[in-house]
Amino acid sequence: MVEIKISREKCKNPLECALCLRICPTAVFYAYPQNLRMFEETPSEEYVLTPRFKLLCTVCHECVKVCPNNAIEIKP
Amino acid sequence: MCDFCVKHGNGGKWFENVENYARKMYRIRREGTGLQMGDVQNLIESILDEAIEARGLSDPKKYEEVKARVESMILPAHFGQVVTLEEVEKILDIAYPIARITCICRRRSRGVKDEENFFCVGIGVGMYKWEKWPENYRGGVHFMTPEEAKEWIREVNKEGAVHSFWVFGTPYIGGICNCEYPSCIGMRMRLDYDVKLLIKGEKVAQIDYEKCNGCGICLRRCQFGAITYEVALDRVTINQKKCFGCGLCATACKPSAIVMRERASMPGLSREW
């Protein structure tokens, strides 16, 4: 299966940047809120980019090309 | 008639039963009272991940097991059903209040910014309490009259979004979504992972071949891959097994060659959800 690695150190705010989220032809990525605290707003920096639907990845590498921080690595 | 209509329809379709929008079914979220129905979205997300993972195992038996468990958890809590424009308009006549809200799927899977993301409709008293979910929901709400809502939803239909309504603790109907593949998690789970987070509508599209002029406008509207153009016959064919009954093809068909038939009246399809 395709392996998609995302560096949390390099990808700090996927919802603000959203370049990979928008470019993926099969919408593989999904930004998850971490540490949800009930009744408290979740700042966008607390969303973490995950390759949630990686089964659908076609290894086109568009996300790797578009990422300004080189945070995405794909191994077919 | 669908199981939900039998159980919650009061003799009719369940989404036309005013009781399923009633205030008494809404529970106000208070601190210290533990998880409530409105928290289901977060729970469902993690439950869905089990199915997503199991799908990648290439172990069909294991997948069927996980899928059955996941569906048994989402059907009493949070799932959607496809509806036609006409059916949405009926819902907008009986549900109150109505407000435009931002779409959680487009935000998380496409990073759409709040100000451009008012694709969904929240209905019912929950809309007065939207700020009770700050960890999940943001963007605010814009209240609309039923007439404004209908006018807006007709525009959205023209643009090609699939309408669906969603329960927040079955059978309490709390929202209408205007979905599109692949950013909609409901459509994605159903079409790519075969999980019934989104079920088919009460209608099925059927073509009157006498009227079809083969223009193919409907092809571009179908998000479920149910319509094909047959070169040899110079007309389109609808695969009713794949049809979800959204009616987008019918609302765009210039010669009115597509009619939306009642699923319940079609013996081969009445149990297809």
Short mmCIF file of all heavy atoms in Angstrom, two decimals, chain B residues 198-264:
data_model
loop_
_atom_site.label_atom_id
_atom_site.label_comp_id
_atom_site.label_asym_id
_atom_site.label_seq_id
_atom_site.Cartn_x
_atom_site.Cartn_y
_atom_site.Cartn_z
N LEU B 198 -24.29 7.59 4.28
CA LEU B 198 -25.28 8.31 3.46
C LEU B 198 -26.14 7.25 2.79
O LEU B 198 -25.61 6.36 2.13
CB LEU B 198 -24.57 9.15 2.40
CG LEU B 198 -25.46 10.01 1.50
CD1 LEU B 198 -26.11 11.13 2.29
CD2 LEU B 198 -24.68 10.57 0.33
N ILE B 199 -27.46 7.33 2.99
CA ILE B 199 -28.31 6.33 2.35
C ILE B 199 -29.06 6.94 1.16
O ILE B 199 -29.18 8.16 1.04
CB ILE B 199 -29.28 5.64 3.35
CG1 ILE B 199 -30.27 6.63 3.94
CG2 ILE B 199 -28.52 4.92 4.45
CD1 ILE B 199 -31.39 5.96 4.75
N LYS B 200 -29.55 6.06 0.30
CA LYS B 200 -30.22 6.52 -0.92
C LYS B 200 -31.56 7.17 -0.59
O LYS B 200 -32.16 6.89 0.45
CB LYS B 200 -30.43 5.33 -1.86
CG LYS B 200 -29.14 4.79 -2.43
CD LYS B 200 -29.39 3.56 -3.29
CE LYS B 200 -28.08 3.05 -3.88
NZ LYS B 200 -28.25 1.78 -4.59
N GLY B 201 -32.03 8.00 -1.51
CA GLY B 201 -33.26 8.73 -1.29
C GLY B 201 -34.51 7.93 -1.61
O GLY B 201 -34.43 6.78 -2.06
N GLU B 202 -35.65 8.56 -1.41
CA GLU B 202 -36.94 7.89 -1.63
C GLU B 202 -37.32 7.85 -3.11
O GLU B 202 -38.32 7.27 -3.49
CB GLU B 202 -38.05 8.62 -0.86
CG GLU B 202 -37.82 8.77 0.63
CD GLU B 202 -38.05 7.49 1.40
OE1 GLU B 202 -38.82 6.65 0.93
OE2 GLU B 202 -37.44 7.35 2.48
N LYS B 203 -36.52 8.53 -3.93
CA LYS B 203 -36.86 8.63 -5.34
C LYS B 203 -35.78 7.93 -6.19
O LYS B 203 -34.64 7.76 -5.74
CB LYS B 203 -36.95 10.10 -5.76
CG LYS B 203 -38.05 10.88 -5.05
CD LYS B 203 -39.36 10.72 -5.78
CE LYS B 203 -40.57 11.16 -5.00
NZ LYS B 203 -40.65 12.53 -4.61
N VAL B 204 -36.16 7.57 -7.40
CA VAL B 204 -35.21 6.98 -8.36
C VAL B 204 -35.48 7.63 -9.73
O VAL B 204 -36.64 7.82 -10.11
CB VAL B 204 -35.42 5.45 -8.50
CG1 VAL B 204 -34.41 4.86 -9.48
CG2 VAL B 204 -35.28 4.76 -7.15
N ALA B 205 -34.41 7.97 -10.44
CA ALA B 205 -34.57 8.63 -11.73
C ALA B 205 -34.90 7.63 -12.83
O ALA B 205 -34.34 6.54 -12.88
CB ALA B 205 -33.28 9.38 -12.09
N GLN B 206 -35.83 8.02 -13.69
CA GLN B 206 -36.17 7.17 -14.83
C GLN B 206 -36.32 8.04 -16.08
O GLN B 206 -36.88 9.13 -16.01
CB GLN B 206 -37.46 6.41 -14.55
CG GLN B 206 -37.77 5.42 -15.66
CD GLN B 206 -38.63 4.28 -15.16
OE1 GLN B 206 -38.41 3.74 -14.09
NE2 GLN B 206 -39.63 3.91 -15.94
N ILE B 207 -35.82 7.52 -17.21
CA ILE B 207 -35.85 8.31 -18.45
C ILE B 207 -37.03 7.92 -19.32
O ILE B 207 -37.34 6.74 -19.47
CB ILE B 207 -34.55 8.09 -19.26
CG1 ILE B 207 -33.36 8.62 -18.48
CG2 ILE B 207 -34.63 8.79 -20.61
CD1 ILE B 207 -32.07 8.61 -19.26
N ASP B 208 -37.65 8.93 -19.89
CA ASP B 208 -38.65 8.71 -20.93
C ASP B 208 -37.90 8.83 -22.26
O ASP B 208 -37.53 9.92 -22.68
CB ASP B 208 -39.74 9.79 -20.81
CG ASP B 208 -40.80 9.63 -21.88
OD1 ASP B 208 -40.57 8.90 -22.87
OD2 ASP B 208 -41.88 10.25 -21.72
N TYR B 209 -37.66 7.68 -22.89
CA TYR B 209 -36.81 7.68 -24.09
C TYR B 209 -37.44 8.44 -25.26
O TYR B 209 -36.75 8.88 -26.17
CB TYR B 209 -36.44 6.25 -24.49
CG TYR B 209 -35.55 5.57 -23.47
CD1 TYR B 209 -35.92 4.38 -22.87
CD2 TYR B 209 -34.34 6.16 -23.12
CE1 TYR B 209 -35.10 3.78 -21.93
CE2 TYR B 209 -33.52 5.56 -22.18
CZ TYR B 209 -33.90 4.37 -21.59
OH TYR B 209 -33.10 3.77 -20.66
N GLU B 210 -38.75 8.56 -25.24
CA GLU B 210 -39.42 9.33 -26.29
C GLU B 210 -38.97 10.78 -26.25
O GLU B 210 -38.88 11.46 -27.25
CB GLU B 210 -40.94 9.29 -26.08
CG GLU B 210 -41.56 7.91 -26.18
CD GLU B 210 -41.54 7.38 -27.61
OE1 GLU B 210 -41.99 8.13 -28.49
OE2 GLU B 210 -41.06 6.25 -27.83
N LYS B 211 -38.71 11.27 -25.01
CA LYS B 211 -38.38 12.68 -24.86
C LYS B 211 -36.88 12.98 -24.86
O LYS B 211 -36.48 14.10 -25.13
CB LYS B 211 -38.99 13.20 -23.55
CG LYS B 211 -40.51 13.30 -23.56
CD LYS B 211 -40.99 13.96 -22.28
CE LYS B 211 -42.50 13.95 -22.16
NZ LYS B 211 -42.92 14.22 -20.78
N CYS B 212 -36.04 11.99 -24.50
CA CYS B 212 -34.60 12.24 -24.40
C CYS B 212 -34.01 12.61 -25.75
O CYS B 212 -34.19 11.89 -26.73
CB CYS B 212 -33.89 11.00 -23.85
SG CYS B 212 -32.09 11.15 -23.81
N ASN B 213 -33.31 13.77 -25.80
CA ASN B 213 -32.72 14.19 -27.07
C ASN B 213 -31.22 13.92 -27.11
O ASN B 213 -30.52 14.38 -28.01
CB ASN B 213 -33.02 15.67 -27.34
CG ASN B 213 -32.44 16.57 -26.25
OD1 ASN B 213 -31.65 16.12 -25.42
ND2 ASN B 213 -32.82 17.84 -26.25
N GLY B 214 -30.71 13.22 -26.09
CA GLY B 214 -29.30 12.83 -26.09
C GLY B 214 -28.33 13.98 -25.85
O GLY B 214 -27.15 13.87 -26.17
N CYS B 215 -28.79 15.08 -25.25
CA CYS B 215 -27.91 16.25 -25.06
C CYS B 215 -26.81 15.98 -24.02
O CYS B 215 -25.74 16.56 -24.08
CB CYS B 215 -28.70 17.49 -24.67
SG CYS B 215 -29.32 17.46 -22.96
N GLY B 216 -27.09 15.09 -23.06
CA GLY B 216 -26.06 14.69 -22.10
C GLY B 216 -25.81 15.64 -20.95
O GLY B 216 -24.86 15.46 -20.20
N ILE B 217 -26.66 16.66 -20.78
CA ILE B 217 -26.49 17.59 -19.65
C ILE B 217 -26.56 16.83 -18.32
O ILE B 217 -25.80 17.10 -17.39
CB ILE B 217 -27.54 18.72 -19.72
CG1 ILE B 217 -27.12 19.73 -20.79
CG2 ILE B 217 -27.72 19.42 -18.37
CD1 ILE B 217 -28.09 20.83 -21.06
N CYS B 218 -27.42 15.83 -18.27
CA CYS B 218 -27.61 15.06 -17.04
C CYS B 218 -26.33 14.33 -16.62
O CYS B 218 -26.05 14.17 -15.44
CB CYS B 218 -28.75 14.07 -17.19
SG CYS B 218 -28.58 13.02 -18.65
N LEU B 219 -25.55 13.91 -17.62
CA LEU B 219 -24.29 13.20 -17.36
C LEU B 219 -23.38 13.99 -16.44
O LEU B 219 -22.78 13.47 -15.51
CB LEU B 219 -23.52 13.00 -18.67
CG LEU B 219 -23.78 11.78 -19.53
CD1 LEU B 219 -23.08 11.98 -20.84
CD2 LEU B 219 -23.28 10.55 -18.84
N ARG B 220 -23.28 15.28 -16.73
CA ARG B 220 -22.38 16.14 -15.96
C ARG B 220 -22.92 16.37 -14.56
O ARG B 220 -22.17 16.73 -13.66
CB ARG B 220 -22.22 17.50 -16.65
CG ARG B 220 -21.50 17.44 -17.97
CD ARG B 220 -20.90 18.80 -18.30
NE ARG B 220 -21.93 19.81 -18.58
CZ ARG B 220 -22.49 19.97 -19.78
NH1 ARG B 220 -22.13 19.21 -20.77
NH2 ARG B 220 -23.41 20.91 -19.97
N ARG B 221 -24.21 16.20 -14.37
CA ARG B 221 -24.81 16.50 -13.07
C ARG B 221 -24.71 15.31 -12.11
O ARG B 221 -24.69 15.51 -10.90
CB ARG B 221 -26.28 16.85 -13.26
CG ARG B 221 -26.51 17.99 -14.23
CD ARG B 221 -26.64 19.30 -13.56
NE ARG B 221 -27.85 19.42 -12.77
CZ ARG B 221 -28.08 20.45 -11.96
NH1 ARG B 221 -27.19 21.42 -11.84
NH2 ARG B 221 -29.19 20.51 -11.26
N CYS B 222 -24.66 14.10 -12.63
CA CYS B 222 -24.70 12.91 -11.76
C CYS B 222 -23.36 12.71 -11.06
O CYS B 222 -22.33 12.60 -11.72
CB CYS B 222 -25.06 11.66 -12.53
SG CYS B 222 -25.20 10.21 -11.46
N GLN B 223 -23.39 12.67 -9.74
CA GLN B 223 -22.15 12.47 -8.98
C GLN B 223 -21.99 11.02 -8.54
O GLN B 223 -21.05 10.68 -7.85
CB GLN B 223 -22.15 13.38 -7.75
CG GLN B 223 -22.26 14.83 -8.12
CD GLN B 223 -21.63 15.73 -7.08
OE1 GLN B 223 -20.71 15.36 -6.37
NE2 GLN B 223 -22.14 16.95 -7.00
N PHE B 224 -22.94 10.18 -8.91
CA PHE B 224 -22.92 8.80 -8.45
C PHE B 224 -22.56 7.82 -9.57
O PHE B 224 -22.63 6.61 -9.39
CB PHE B 224 -24.28 8.44 -7.84
CG PHE B 224 -24.62 9.30 -6.65
CD1 PHE B 224 -25.45 10.41 -6.80
CD2 PHE B 224 -24.08 9.02 -5.41
CE1 PHE B 224 -25.75 11.21 -5.71
CE2 PHE B 224 -24.37 9.82 -4.32
CZ PHE B 224 -25.21 10.93 -4.46
N GLY B 225 -22.21 8.35 -10.72
CA GLY B 225 -21.82 7.49 -11.84
C GLY B 225 -22.96 6.63 -12.34
O GLY B 225 -22.74 5.53 -12.85
N ALA B 226 -24.19 7.12 -12.24
CA ALA B 226 -25.33 6.31 -12.62
C ALA B 226 -25.75 6.52 -14.07
O ALA B 226 -26.57 5.77 -14.59
CB ALA B 226 -26.51 6.59 -11.69
N ILE B 227 -25.22 7.57 -14.72
CA ILE B 227 -25.68 7.88 -16.07
C ILE B 227 -24.55 7.70 -17.09
O ILE B 227 -23.43 8.14 -16.87
CB ILE B 227 -26.22 9.33 -16.15
CG1 ILE B 227 -27.22 9.59 -15.03
CG2 ILE B 227 -26.88 9.58 -17.51
CD1 ILE B 227 -27.84 10.97 -15.04
N THR B 228 -24.88 7.03 -18.20
CA THR B 228 -23.90 6.89 -19.28
C THR B 228 -24.58 7.31 -20.59
O THR B 228 -25.81 7.24 -20.72
CB THR B 228 -23.41 5.44 -19.45
OG1 THR B 228 -24.55 4.57 -19.40
CG2 THR B 228 -22.45 5.05 -18.36
N TYR B 229 -23.76 7.77 -21.52
CA TYR B 229 -24.28 8.10 -22.85
C TYR B 229 -23.96 6.95 -23.79
O TYR B 229 -22.81 6.51 -23.87
CB TYR B 229 -23.63 9.39 -23.37
CG TYR B 229 -23.98 9.70 -24.79
CD1 TYR B 229 -25.27 10.16 -25.10
CD2 TYR B 229 -23.08 9.50 -25.81
CE1 TYR B 229 -25.62 10.42 -26.41
CE2 TYR B 229 -23.42 9.77 -27.14
CZ TYR B 229 -24.70 10.23 -27.42
OH TYR B 229 -25.05 10.48 -28.72
N GLU B 230 -24.98 6.45 -24.47
CA GLU B 230 -24.75 5.36 -25.41
C GLU B 230 -24.71 5.90 -26.83
O GLU B 230 -25.72 6.37 -27.36
CB GLU B 230 -25.84 4.31 -25.28
CG GLU B 230 -25.74 3.54 -23.97
CD GLU B 230 -26.62 2.30 -23.96
OE1 GLU B 230 -26.36 1.38 -24.77
OE2 GLU B 230 -27.57 2.26 -23.17
N VAL B 231 -23.52 5.83 -27.41
CA VAL B 231 -23.29 6.40 -28.73
C VAL B 231 -24.23 5.78 -29.77
O VAL B 231 -24.88 6.48 -30.54
CB VAL B 231 -21.82 6.19 -29.16
CG1 VAL B 231 -21.58 6.75 -30.55
CG2 VAL B 231 -20.88 6.85 -28.15
N ALA B 232 -24.32 4.46 -29.76
CA ALA B 232 -25.09 3.76 -30.79
C ALA B 232 -26.58 4.13 -30.75
O ALA B 232 -27.26 4.16 -31.78
CB ALA B 232 -24.93 2.25 -30.64
N LEU B 233 -27.08 4.41 -29.56
CA LEU B 233 -28.51 4.70 -29.44
C LEU B 233 -28.80 6.21 -29.40
O LEU B 233 -29.95 6.61 -29.43
CB LEU B 233 -29.07 4.06 -28.15
CG LEU B 233 -28.85 2.55 -28.01
CD1 LEU B 233 -29.37 2.08 -26.66
CD2 LEU B 233 -29.55 1.78 -29.12
N ASP B 234 -27.73 7.02 -29.33
CA ASP B 234 -27.83 8.47 -29.16
C ASP B 234 -28.82 8.84 -28.07
O ASP B 234 -29.73 9.65 -28.25
CB ASP B 234 -28.21 9.16 -30.48
CG ASP B 234 -28.16 10.68 -30.33
OD1 ASP B 234 -27.37 11.15 -29.48
OD2 ASP B 234 -28.89 11.39 -31.04
N ARG B 235 -28.62 8.24 -26.92
CA ARG B 235 -29.41 8.62 -25.76
C ARG B 235 -28.65 8.22 -24.50
O ARG B 235 -27.66 7.48 -24.57
CB ARG B 235 -30.79 8.00 -25.78
CG ARG B 235 -30.78 6.47 -25.76
CD ARG B 235 -32.09 5.97 -25.20
NE ARG B 235 -32.39 4.58 -25.46
CZ ARG B 235 -31.95 3.56 -24.73
NH1 ARG B 235 -31.13 3.74 -23.74
NH2 ARG B 235 -32.33 2.32 -25.03
N VAL B 236 -29.10 8.71 -23.38
CA VAL B 236 -28.44 8.34 -22.13
C VAL B 236 -29.20 7.20 -21.47
O VAL B 236 -30.40 6.98 -21.72
CB VAL B 236 -28.33 9.53 -21.14
CG1 VAL B 236 -27.43 10.61 -21.71
CG2 VAL B 236 -29.69 10.05 -20.77
N THR B 237 -28.48 6.45 -20.64
CA THR B 237 -29.05 5.34 -19.90
C THR B 237 -28.79 5.58 -18.42
O THR B 237 -27.69 5.98 -18.05
CB THR B 237 -28.38 4.02 -20.33
OG1 THR B 237 -28.63 3.83 -21.72
CG2 THR B 237 -28.92 2.84 -19.55
N ILE B 238 -29.79 5.37 -17.60
CA ILE B 238 -29.59 5.51 -16.15
C ILE B 238 -29.54 4.13 -15.51
O ILE B 238 -30.44 3.32 -15.70
CB ILE B 238 -30.72 6.35 -15.51
CG1 ILE B 238 -30.67 7.79 -16.04
CG2 ILE B 238 -30.59 6.33 -13.98
CD1 ILE B 238 -31.70 8.71 -15.43
N ASN B 239 -28.48 3.88 -14.77
CA ASN B 239 -28.38 2.66 -13.98
C ASN B 239 -29.08 2.93 -12.65
O ASN B 239 -28.53 3.59 -11.77
CB ASN B 239 -26.91 2.30 -13.76
CG ASN B 239 -26.73 1.04 -12.93
OD1 ASN B 239 -27.66 0.63 -12.22
ND2 ASN B 239 -25.57 0.43 -13.03
N GLN B 240 -30.29 2.43 -12.51
CA GLN B 240 -31.09 2.75 -11.32
C GLN B 240 -30.55 2.11 -10.04
O GLN B 240 -30.90 2.52 -8.95
CB GLN B 240 -32.55 2.35 -11.55
CG GLN B 240 -33.20 3.22 -12.63
CD GLN B 240 -34.62 2.83 -12.92
OE1 GLN B 240 -34.94 1.63 -12.94
NE2 GLN B 240 -35.48 3.80 -13.15
N LYS B 241 -29.68 1.09 -10.21
CA LYS B 241 -29.06 0.51 -9.02
C LYS B 241 -28.05 1.47 -8.43
O LYS B 241 -27.78 1.46 -7.24
CB LYS B 241 -28.35 -0.81 -9.39
CG LYS B 241 -29.29 -1.95 -9.66
CD LYS B 241 -29.43 -2.82 -8.42
CE LYS B 241 -30.34 -4.01 -8.72
NZ LYS B 241 -30.78 -4.66 -7.48
N LYS B 242 -27.46 2.29 -9.30
CA LYS B 242 -26.46 3.25 -8.82
C LYS B 242 -27.10 4.59 -8.44
O LYS B 242 -26.46 5.41 -7.79
CB LYS B 242 -25.41 3.49 -9.91
CG LYS B 242 -24.45 2.33 -10.12
CD LYS B 242 -23.36 2.77 -11.08
CE LYS B 242 -22.34 1.67 -11.33
NZ LYS B 242 -21.35 2.11 -12.33
N CYS B 243 -28.32 4.82 -8.91
CA CYS B 243 -28.98 6.11 -8.67
C CYS B 243 -29.29 6.29 -7.19
O CYS B 243 -29.82 5.40 -6.55
CB CYS B 243 -30.27 6.18 -9.48
SG CYS B 243 -31.26 7.65 -9.14
N PHE B 244 -28.94 7.48 -6.66
CA PHE B 244 -29.23 7.79 -5.26
C PHE B 244 -30.49 8.65 -5.11
O PHE B 244 -30.86 9.01 -4.02
CB PHE B 244 -28.02 8.50 -4.61
CG PHE B 244 -27.02 7.55 -4.01
CD1 PHE B 244 -26.33 6.66 -4.80
CD2 PHE B 244 -26.78 7.54 -2.63
CE1 PHE B 244 -25.40 5.76 -4.25
CE2 PHE B 244 -25.87 6.65 -2.06
CZ PHE B 244 -25.18 5.76 -2.88
N GLY B 245 -31.08 9.02 -6.23
CA GLY B 245 -32.34 9.76 -6.15
C GLY B 245 -32.21 11.22 -5.78
O GLY B 245 -33.10 11.79 -5.17
N CYS B 246 -31.11 11.86 -6.16
CA CYS B 246 -30.93 13.27 -5.81
C CYS B 246 -31.71 14.18 -6.75
O CYS B 246 -32.01 15.33 -6.40
CB CYS B 246 -29.45 13.66 -5.82
SG CYS B 246 -28.70 13.70 -7.46
N GLY B 247 -31.98 13.70 -7.95
CA GLY B 247 -32.79 14.48 -8.88
C GLY B 247 -32.05 15.59 -9.61
O GLY B 247 -32.67 16.39 -10.30
N LEU B 248 -30.72 15.66 -9.46
CA LEU B 248 -29.98 16.72 -10.14
C LEU B 248 -30.12 16.60 -11.66
O LEU B 248 -30.16 17.59 -12.38
CB LEU B 248 -28.50 16.69 -9.76
CG LEU B 248 -28.12 17.26 -8.39
CD1 LEU B 248 -26.63 17.16 -8.18
CD2 LEU B 248 -28.57 18.70 -8.25
N CYS B 249 -30.18 15.36 -12.17
CA CYS B 249 -30.34 15.14 -13.61
C CYS B 249 -31.69 15.68 -14.06
O CYS B 249 -31.80 16.35 -15.08
CB CYS B 249 -30.21 13.65 -13.93
SG CYS B 249 -31.30 12.57 -12.98
N ALA B 250 -32.72 15.40 -13.26
CA ALA B 250 -34.08 15.80 -13.64
C ALA B 250 -34.25 17.31 -13.65
O ALA B 250 -34.89 17.86 -14.55
CB ALA B 250 -35.10 15.14 -12.71
N THR B 251 -33.64 18.02 -12.66
CA THR B 251 -33.84 19.47 -12.61
C THR B 251 -33.13 20.18 -13.76
O THR B 251 -33.44 21.32 -14.07
CB THR B 251 -33.39 20.09 -11.26
OG1 THR B 251 -32.06 19.66 -10.96
CG2 THR B 251 -34.31 19.71 -10.13
N ALA B 252 -32.16 19.49 -14.40
CA ALA B 252 -31.43 20.15 -15.49
C ALA B 252 -31.92 19.69 -16.86
O ALA B 252 -31.53 20.27 -17.88
CB ALA B 252 -29.94 19.86 -15.36
N CYS B 253 -32.75 18.68 -16.91
CA CYS B 253 -33.16 18.10 -18.20
C CYS B 253 -34.12 19.03 -18.93
O CYS B 253 -35.25 19.25 -18.49
CB CYS B 253 -33.81 16.73 -17.98
SG CYS B 253 -34.34 15.95 -19.52
N LYS B 254 -33.66 19.59 -20.05
CA LYS B 254 -34.47 20.59 -20.77
C LYS B 254 -35.76 20.00 -21.33
O LYS B 254 -36.82 20.61 -21.19
CB LYS B 254 -33.63 21.26 -21.86
CG LYS B 254 -32.55 22.15 -21.22
CD LYS B 254 -32.27 23.38 -22.05
CE LYS B 254 -31.27 24.27 -21.32
NZ LYS B 254 -29.88 24.01 -21.73
N PRO B 255 -35.71 18.82 -22.00
CA PRO B 255 -36.97 18.28 -22.51
C PRO B 255 -37.81 17.55 -21.45
O PRO B 255 -38.80 16.90 -21.79
CB PRO B 255 -36.51 17.30 -23.60
CG PRO B 255 -35.11 16.96 -23.29
CD PRO B 255 -34.53 18.08 -22.48
N SER B 256 -37.43 17.71 -20.17
CA SER B 256 -38.14 17.03 -19.06
C SER B 256 -38.31 15.54 -19.32
O SER B 256 -39.40 14.97 -19.12
CB SER B 256 -39.51 17.66 -18.80
OG SER B 256 -39.36 19.01 -18.54
N ALA B 257 -37.22 14.91 -19.75
CA ALA B 257 -37.29 13.49 -20.07
C ALA B 257 -37.03 12.60 -18.86
O ALA B 257 -37.24 11.40 -18.92
CB ALA B 257 -36.28 13.15 -21.17
N ILE B 258 -36.56 13.22 -17.75
CA ILE B 258 -36.27 12.41 -16.57
C ILE B 258 -37.33 12.67 -15.50
O ILE B 258 -37.57 13.82 -15.14
CB ILE B 258 -34.87 12.71 -16.01
CG1 ILE B 258 -33.81 12.46 -17.10
CG2 ILE B 258 -34.57 11.85 -14.78
CD1 ILE B 258 -32.39 12.82 -16.68
N VAL B 259 -37.95 11.59 -15.05
CA VAL B 259 -38.91 11.73 -13.95
C VAL B 259 -38.35 11.03 -12.72
O VAL B 259 -37.63 10.03 -12.83
CB VAL B 259 -40.30 11.14 -14.28
CG1 VAL B 259 -41.06 12.06 -15.22
CG2 VAL B 259 -40.17 9.74 -14.86
N MET B 260 -38.66 11.56 -11.54
CA MET B 260 -38.22 10.95 -10.30
C MET B 260 -39.38 10.08 -9.78
O MET B 260 -40.42 10.60 -9.39
CB MET B 260 -37.84 12.02 -9.27
CG MET B 260 -36.71 12.94 -9.72
SD MET B 260 -35.20 12.09 -10.25
CE MET B 260 -34.64 11.35 -8.71
N ARG B 261 -39.16 8.78 -9.83
CA ARG B 261 -40.22 7.85 -9.39
C ARG B 261 -40.03 7.46 -7.93
O ARG B 261 -38.93 7.52 -7.40
CB ARG B 261 -40.19 6.59 -10.25
CG ARG B 261 -40.73 6.82 -11.65
CD ARG B 261 -40.89 5.49 -12.37
NE ARG B 261 -41.72 4.54 -11.61
CZ ARG B 261 -41.88 3.26 -11.97
NH1 ARG B 261 -41.29 2.80 -13.05
NH2 ARG B 261 -42.65 2.46 -11.25
N GLU B 262 -41.11 7.03 -7.30
CA GLU B 262 -41.04 6.58 -5.91
C GLU B 262 -40.29 5.25 -5.85
O GLU B 262 -40.69 4.29 -6.52
CB GLU B 262 -42.44 6.38 -5.34
CG GLU B 262 -43.21 7.65 -5.08
CD GLU B 262 -42.61 8.50 -3.96
OE1 GLU B 262 -41.96 7.95 -3.06
OE2 GLU B 262 -42.80 9.73 -4.01
N ARG B 263 -39.25 5.20 -5.06
CA ARG B 263 -38.50 3.95 -4.89
C ARG B 263 -39.43 2.82 -4.41
O ARG B 263 -39.33 1.68 -4.88
CB ARG B 263 -37.38 4.18 -3.86
CG ARG B 263 -36.49 2.98 -3.62
CD ARG B 263 -35.37 3.33 -2.65
NE ARG B 263 -34.47 4.33 -3.20
CZ ARG B 263 -33.46 4.06 -4.03
NH1 ARG B 263 -33.21 2.82 -4.38
NH2 ARG B 263 -32.70 5.03 -4.48
N ALA B 264 -40.32 3.19 -3.49
CA ALA B 264 -41.22 2.18 -2.91
C ALA B 264 -42.10 1.51 -3.96
O ALA B 264 -42.58 0.40 -3.77
CB ALA B 264 -42.09 2.82 -1.83
#
